[in-house]
Amino acid sequence: MRSEEEQSPAHYSLLLLNTRLISRLASSQDSSLLLLQLHFAKMSKLVARIPVLAKSAVDAATPKLNTFIRYAKVELVPPTPAEFGSVAQGFGNIVKSAQTGAWKQLTVKDASRNTLVAIEVLCWFFIGECIGKGTIVGYQV
């Protein structure tokens, strides 16, 4: 019984080309034709393996892609108008804690986490600026 590799159309066309080269080799003793025939033999094996490798890659990636899609539907959704009120309230809480000195009562872990979030926001801002400018340094005038 033939495997999937032997039944691919690309494999048949390369085998036909190989048989033509072998018949030319039989009539002449040119070493370049021999090297070309060996090259096509290797390539026909590689081309015949492509469908099998592609199927195994798709099978391996499918569960991870499904997990990504499930999380993306929840996490990458734009904010609703109801959530904008909570953002404004959060900014109000930040201003109030700055005024009352509540930031002095933060633990080191919370302070470092807040600092990292602020640095991340700044980095994304600067990356957006670079993309908007089209260059890393200076504006195009």
Side-chain angles (χ1 to χ4, degrees):
M1 183 170 178
R2 292 181 171 221
S3 67
E4 289 181 21
E5 295 174 355
E6 294 175 356
Q7 296 176 359
S8 70
H11 183 74
Y12 283 131
S13 62
L14 287 175
L15 281 179
L16 181 62
L17 189 59
N18 283 340
T19 54
R20 288 180 185 166
L21 286 173
I22 290 171
S23 64
R24 287 178 76 187
L25 264 177
S27 62
S28 71
Q29 298 297 326
D30 192 9
S31 63
S32 63
L33 283 178
L34 178 63
L35 291 175
L36 192 61
Q37 194 273 336
L38 291 174
H39 173 72
F40 279 119
K42 289 179 184 179
M43 288 304 294
S44 67
K45 290 178 184 177
L46 286 174
V47 169
R49 290 181 53 194
I50 288 175
V52 175
L53 293 174
K55 184 180 181 325
S56 63
V58 167
D59 290 342
T62 299
K64 293 179 182 179
L65 186 61
N66 289 337
T67 303
F68 170 75
I69 290 171
R70 187 175 68 232
Y71 285 125
K73 287 180 181 177
V74 175
E75 298 294 331
L76 298 178
V77 175
T80 61
E83 293 173 340
F84 286 118
S86 63
V87 170
Q89 186 181 23
F91 280 125
N93 289 342
I94 290 172
V95 170
K96 188 188 305 180
S97 69
Q99 290 172 346
T100 60
W103 56 272
K104 296 177 187 176
Q105 303 302 322
L106 286 176
T107 63
V108 173
K109 184 177 182 178
D110 288 338
S112 61
R113 187 179 303 145
N114 291 343
T115 303
L116 287 175
V117 168
I119 290 171
E120 180 183 7
V121 169
L122 281 173
C123 286
W124 281 115
F125 170 76
F126 290 128
I127 289 171
E129 281 286 312
C130 291
I131 291 171
K133 289 185 298 189
T135 61
I136 293 178
V137 178
Y139 287 93
Q140 295 176 356
V141 180

